[in-house]
Amino acid sequence: MSTVGIVLFGLFFVFLFLRMPIAVALGLSTVLTLLFFDLPIQSVPATLYTSFTKFTLLAIPFFFLAGLILERAGISRRLIYLAQTLTGHLTGGLAIVAVVAACFFAAISGSGPATMAAVGAIIIPAMIKAGYRKDMSGGLLATAGGIGIILPPSIAYIVYGVIAEVSIGELFIAGIIPGLFMGLVLAITSYFIAKKEKIPTLPKASKAEMWKAFKDATWGLLAPVIILGGIYSGIFTPTESAVVAVFYGLFVGFFIYKEIKISDLPKLLLDSSKTTAMIMLIVASASTFAWLLHIEGIAEDMANVLMSVASNKYTILLMITLLLLFAGMFVDAISAYYIFLPIFVPIMAAMGIDPVHFGILMTMNLAIGLVTPPVGLDLYIACGLTGLSLKEITIGVIPFVLAAIGVLLVITYVPAMSLWLPELLNMR
């Protein structure tokens, strides 16, 4: 690596160690490196501006707002009750309910933390009351929350698609099987833990209760059908689907469930604006970091180093997986895309790795990063919901993270898991 690269990454990790916000660490390390080596710092404003003036990125604020609206409308509560009537009577039933509900809400919100917060706030207290350990309950929901960025619609896929210039529609449909597979493995893991700890099951729901729960949750179940169906049928783009999701949530909240009032709108808009501002600041700072990697040839040098260590595609994939799992402990998903994709894109091209498949496995890596300390956002949400310390919640998350890594390895080395559906629907 060149001297510029060493200084750039050195400053970045120093700032992370000093606990600076990730956006500040990325931006400040870039600016100081430019000043130190007398590089063209006048290009930074233009890079910052062009980084967040892309039409596709408009989906981010709208999906955040849609998730908040749909949760406020009572959809998450109804989806959880439906899942409870279907699987609550099984061994580990309430834990399975948590996973099923996370998959349902993931197919609406597009965000891991939003899925974790919406489902966890309701199901974690119920699990603890039913006899599940606090750390196990929080650990399961934190890991299941990561499904929020694996199942479509996913904000992570939108960012990846923009950077790697890959079809977001293909990424959305390619993420369906991996996301459901992750949910299945987490449910099986929960079953064995509940069986070992002899946690009592819930009474089996009657057919009448199931039907009532299904009717009550119908509008929630229709949300992903409308959002994804509209994209795949070509009625609207992924960006436009986020706007459709907002208006659908408002319609359901105001006129069907009648749980949203006009007075709720300012808070919903403010909350989504805060999250969007944070994300876009990261996008802008990370874009300047990635720009410097590119103009100085740092990304190309690092790609060449990786390929010189191993020439086998499968060995390279394993090295990238280990690197991303480690990086996920310190940086958020969006920053990771901007930092590492300039390095990985030439490797993908040289090794013949499908960019859609790579997008899924990279996103799954970063979903696991949401629950790995010290910077796992879903872990901190779980701490808040359970009242446990980071150390205590980390113990509970270990079996689920190991299960998730097992799923990741399958998805990494069996590309058909990601590519079969897009090929079946003639999207390729």
Side-chain angles (χ1 to χ4, degrees), residues 78-97:
R78 289 172 170 86
L79 292 175
I80 288 171
Y81 181 63
L82 173 62
Q84 184 174 320
T85 63
L86 296 175
T87 66
H89 61 283
L90 303 174
T91 300
L94 208 52
I96 297 172
V97 167

Side-chain angles (χ1 to χ4, degrees), residues 265-347:
L265 292 181
K267 186 175 187 309
L268 290 170
L269 290 169
L270 181 61
D271 288 346
S272 65
S273 298
K274 286 179 180 177
T275 307
T276 301
M278 177 183 71
I279 294 298
M280 296 313 292
L281 181 58
I282 293 172
V283 167
S285 298
S287 295
T288 61
F289 191 96
W291 165 78
L292 183 54
L293 288 178
H294 175 70
I295 65 164
E296 287 298 307
I298 301 167
E300 187 178 345
D301 290 344
M302 294 179 73
N304 290 334
V305 168
L306 268 176
M307 287 191 289
S308 69
V309 173
S311 57
N312 181 282
K313 178 170 77 172
Y314 301 105
T315 306
I316 289 282
L317 283 173
L318 180 60
M319 291 168 61
I320 290 174
T321 294
L322 294 174
L323 176 60
L324 288 173
L325 286 174
F326 178 74
M329 296 180 182
F330 302 97
V331 297
D332 63 278
I334 291 174
S335 302
Y337 286 130
Y338 279 95
I339 294 169
F340 292 107
L341 271 177
I343 301 168
F344 295 154
V345 166
I347 295 176

Side-chain angles (χ1 to χ4, degrees), residues 91-264:
T91 300
L94 208 52
I96 297 172
V97 167
V99 176
V100 173
C103 290
F104 278 147
F105 201 79
I108 298 172
S109 70
S111 164
T115 300
M116 166 65 192
V119 177
I122 300 171
I123 200 73
I124 286 177
M127 288 179 67
I128 294 169
K129 186 177 179 181
Y132 291 85
R133 299 190 325 270
K134 278 188 177 183
D135 63 334
M136 184 262 185
S137 305
L140 170 63
L141 261 297
T143 312
I147 297 173
I149 65 170
I150 301 171
L151 279 174
S154 165
I155 291 168
Y157 293 151
I158 292 169
V159 175
Y160 177 90
V162 168
I163 300 170
E165 298 181 352
V166 176
S167 165
I168 294 170
E170 277 191 54
L171 288 167
F172 275 12
I173 198 150
I176 293 175
I177 291 176
L180 294 177
F181 184 42
M182 176 77 86
L184 175 64
V185 171
L186 291 179
I188 292 170
T189 305
S190 302
Y191 167 84
F192 283 110
I193 293 175
K195 186 175 182 180
K196 179 182 176 183
E197 298 184 4
K198 298 180 180 177
I199 296 171
T201 59
L202 298 174
K204 186 173 182 178
S206 66
K207 290 182 179 179
E209 288 174 319
M210 290 182 188
W211 176 241
K212 181 179 181 300
F214 175 76
K215 287 194 299 181
D216 205 27
T218 298
W219 290 96
L221 295 172
L222 279 175
V225 174
I226 292 171
I227 295 167
L228 300 177
I231 294 171
Y232 304 142
S233 62
I235 297 174
F236 40 73
T237 66
T239 303
E240 292 164 347
S241 74
V243 182
V244 171
V246 169
F247 282 99
Y248 178 81
L250 289 172
F251 172 76
V252 173
F254 277 124
F255 303 109
I256 306 299
Y257 294 148
K258 299 179 181 179
E259 294 195 20
I260 295 181
K261 301 182 178 70
I262 293 292
S263 58
D264 294 325

Side-chain angles (χ1 to χ4, degrees), residues 12-35:
F12 173 62
F13 285 112
V14 167
F15 293 147
L16 280 185
F17 179 76
L18 294 174
R19 297 185 177 275
M20 283 189 181
I22 187 75
V24 176
L26 286 164
L28 190 57
S29 59
T30 304
V31 169
L32 289 178
T33 302
L34 289 168
L35 289 171

